[in-house]
Amino acid sequence: DQQVKQNSPSLSVQEGRISILNCDYTNSMFDYFLWYKKYPAEGPTFLISISSIKDKNEDGRFTVFLNKSAKHLSLHIVPSQPGDSAVYFCAAIGQGGSEKLVFGKGTKLTVNP
Amino acid sequence: KAGVTQTPRYLIKTRGQQVTLSCSPISGHRSVSWYQQTPGQGLQFLFEYFSETQRNKGNFPGRFSGRQFSNSRSEMNVSTLELGDSALYLCASSSMTKSIGELFFGEGSRLTVL
């Protein structure tokens, strides 16, 4: 039973355009949502997060939107750059102070020059 | 500040053997968690340790175990290896004072079981 789903295994966009990565979740008890980026042969790195009490969080070119009623979040990258090419993981965390993250399977983003 | 260090980076084992993986967290980080990454399943939580105590455990069989030492270094052990245990094992540490869920991952230990 996958609680965090990334239904698009891959996405290809042109440099300078917007990249939109989507994520759906099923557990309404999730309290916090995060995006991680992973380059080949490296560990994932934290990108941006959002609390369940917010609907938007912005950090430079990266914006995460949360729609709690739809149990859906998305990551927008504007403008996309070739260096953004990586696998992006959506993750969720429940309450309780634990660092147990539930990850989606990832979306491979390719930004073409 | 040194990052999370995992050893060994690569290893090959045969079915039935056991393996121990090591993780040194970022200095000052007391929480260490382990994840298994496979192409089909993505990243799956194994367990989390804080101050030498296991705080949370994922849905893995008892062949998977771990521990944390007083210096926050952690090890995980997989006994009676199966082909399906072939994966990238990622260790992550966190300071608990940073953003919730912000983990710092190592580069991983890639295990191949033949």
Side-chain angles (χ1 to χ4, degrees), chain B residues 33-90:
Chain B
S33 50
W34 289 86
Y35 289 82
Q36 181 196 64
Q37 185 185 10
T38 57
Q41 297 299 321
L43 277 84
Q44 291 189 290
F45 174 79
L46 280 156
F47 22 66
E48 182 213 350
Y49 290 89
F50 181 81
S51 294
E52 302 179 67
T53 301
Q54 187 181 90
R55 293 210 303 179
N56 222 324
K57 190 177 190 303
N59 191 25
F60 279 82
R63 300 186 295 108
F64 291 80
S65 62
R67 59 179 176 169
Q68 186 181 31
F69 302 96
S70 58
N71 61 357
S72 294
R73 193 177 69 84
S74 177
E75 288 181 349
M76 68 163 283
N77 184 278
V78 188
S79 62
T80 320
L81 285 166
E82 301 177 359
L83 296 178
D85 297 333
S86 295
L88 180 67
Y89 290 88
L90 292 159

Side-chain angles (χ1 to χ4, degrees), chain A residues 2 31-32 34 36 38 41-46 49 87 89 93-94 96-106, chain B residues 9 31 33 35 37 40-43 45 48 55-58 88 90 94 96 99-107:
Chain A
Q2 206 180 356
D31 201 40
Y32 226 78
L34 308 96
Y36 278 79
K38 186 180 186 300
E42 294 184 12
T45 55
F46 170 77
S49 63
V87 177
F89 291 96
I93 193 167
S98 168
E99 298 286 46
K100 174 184 177 180
L101 269 64
V102 180
F103 283 89
K105 293 186 179 182
Chain B
R9 290 291 312 279
S31 172
S33 50
Y35 289 82
Q37 185 185 10
Q41 297 299 321
L43 277 84
F45 174 79
E48 182 213 350
R55 293 210 303 179
N56 222 324
K57 190 177 190 303
L88 180 67
L90 292 159
S94 66
M96 306 300 287
S99 301
I100 297 172
E102 183 178 353
L103 305 181
F104 295 83
F105 282 88
E107 294 178 318

